């Protein structure tokens, strides 16, 4: 049973280019979370999605960042016009049912490391 | 808002030493508390959790007790191994079943043979 799959593992972009990060949740999971880990910092929540629906995007920067989780296919985190400050590790996690601290567990992927030159 | 503070790293210990990684939190209500571990090149894995005051989570020789009076959830292990070298994250989930986790900055643990 495959775990959470993220790709690419490493992505290099020049300033102004677009970055697309993909996440396939664990089989049977329909809830996806994206986190960003900046150097020397912990993980920061970005967005929580269900299939075809954004539940909570309170952690997403207002500009250039977007996320989707279509009915078919992986969840995608898209960063337009990347800047050096976007360099970070982006982690996807999934759960089913929706993560609940009292009963659930988040399962994380290995992360996608974005480097902006 | 909710926050988690954990001790700065790196923490370097010799094999078989006693380990404590401090974690304190600020939250409204009654959060659940977690320790996640990230081995080199891998994603985070749940190590242990506690869902109410005085609960003790334990796994792989690690323990942490949910102390409401001191708002703490310190991670301990009696005898560490080289294979325990990793980054350890303390995290909380809000009470009431709300989604998402709030993480600390992580503590890099290095165990030397």
């Amino acid at each position: 049973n495959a775990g959470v799959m993220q790709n690419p593992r490493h992505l290099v972009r020049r300033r102004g280019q677009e970055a697309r990060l993909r996440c396939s949740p664990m089989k049977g999971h329909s809830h996806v979370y994206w986190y960003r880990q900046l150097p020397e910092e912990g993980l920061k929540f970005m967005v929580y999605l269900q299939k075809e629906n954004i539940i909570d995007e309170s952690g997403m920067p207002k500009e250039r960042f977007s996320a989707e989780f279509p009915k078919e296919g992986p969840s995608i985190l898209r960063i337009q016009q990347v800047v050096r400050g976007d360099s970070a590790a982006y982690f996807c996690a999934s759960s089913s049912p929706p993560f609940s601290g009292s009963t659930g567990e988040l399962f994380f992927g290995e992360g996608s490391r974005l480097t902006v030159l | 808002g909710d926050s988690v503070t954990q001790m700065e790293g790196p923490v370097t210990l010799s094999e078989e030493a006693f380990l404590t990684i401090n974690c304190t939190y600020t939250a409204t209500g009654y959060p659940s508390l977690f320790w996640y571990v990230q081995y080199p090149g891998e994603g985070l894995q749940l190590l242990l959790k506690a869902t109410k005051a005085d609960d003790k989570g334990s796994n792989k020789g690690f323990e942490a007790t949910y102390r409401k009076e001191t708002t703490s959830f310190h991670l301990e292990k009696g005898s560490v191994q080289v294979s325990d070298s990793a980054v350890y994250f303390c995290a909380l989930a809000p009470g009431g079943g709300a989604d998402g986790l709030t993480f600390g900055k992580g503590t890099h643990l290095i165990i030397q043979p």
Side-chain angles (χ1 to χ4, degrees):
Chain A
N1 188 14
V4 177
M5 304 299 291
Q6 290 188 247
N7 68 82
R9 293 290 306 278
H10 300 276
L11 182 64
V12 179
R13 287 286 179 265
R14 296 189 181 281
R15 281 179 296 171
Q17 292 184 319
E18 178 180 285
R20 286 195 179 211
L21 309 177
R22 297 174 189 77
C23 170
S24 296
M26 283 185 71
K27 187 176 181 180
H29 287 191
S30 58
H31 303 268
V32 166
Y33 305 76
W34 284 94
Y35 286 81
R36 176 165 64 174
Q37 183 180 30
L38 292 166
E40 306 304 321
E41 294 190 20
L43 279 77
K44 302 292 186 185
F45 169 77
M46 298 183 75
V47 62
Y48 162 38
L49 310 103
Q50 291 179 347
K51 291 275 188 181
E52 300 183 284
N53 197 14
I54 296 174
I55 306 301
D56 181 354
E57 56 181 348
S58 59
M60 287 279 272
K62 294 288 187 285
E63 298 177 347
R64 302 187 297 108
F65 285 72
S66 62
E68 63 177 8
F69 190 15
K71 186 176 180 181
E72 300 292 336
S75 175
I76 296 176
L77 179 66
R78 182 181 178 207
I79 311 171
Q80 295 178 290
Q81 300 175 324
V82 296
V83 301
R84 289 219 174 103
D86 297 333
S87 296
Y90 293 83
F91 287 93
C92 172
S94 71
S95 69
S96 180
F99 172 72
S100 165
S102 60
T103 59
E105 176 182 347
L106 280 181
F107 293 84
F108 283 82
E110 294 179 341
S112 291
R113 283 155 180 82
L114 172 65
T115 301
V116 179
L117 302 178
Chain B
D2 297 345
S3 67
V4 176
T5 303
Q6 57 183 111
M7 61 192 294
E8 299 273 334
V11 173
T12 303
L13 295 172
S14 297
E15 206 166 17
E16 299 183 4
F18 184 86
L19 168 71
T20 300
I21 300 178
N22 290 338
C23 171
T24 57
Y25 67 90
T26 302
T28 55
Y30 302 96
S32 296
L33 301 174
F34 303 78
W35 278 100
Y36 276 78
V37 58
Q38 183 182 25
Y39 297 104
E42 300 184 12
L44 278 73
Q45 305 171 23
L46 178 65
L47 180 60
L48 53 84
K49 72 177 184 181
T51 59
K52 60 183 188 296
D54 299 325
D55 267 3
K56 177 186 285 187
S58 60
N59 186 25
K60 298 181 182 180
F62 291 89
E63 293 182 340
T65 301
Y66 187 167
R67 301 284 187 203
K68 190 168 183 291
E69 64 276 13
T70 54
T71 61
S72 66
F73 193 54
H74 304 321
L75 182 68
E76 296 182 336
K77 186 174 185 182
S79 176
V80 292
Q81 307 299 314
V82 172
S83 57
D84 293 327
S85 298
V87 181
Y88 292 81
F89 292 91
C90 186
L92 70 81
D99 51 60
L101 284 167
T102 297
F103 284 90
K105 291 186 177 182
T107 301
H108 186 192
L109 175 64
I110 301 169
I111 306 300
Q112 296 177 333

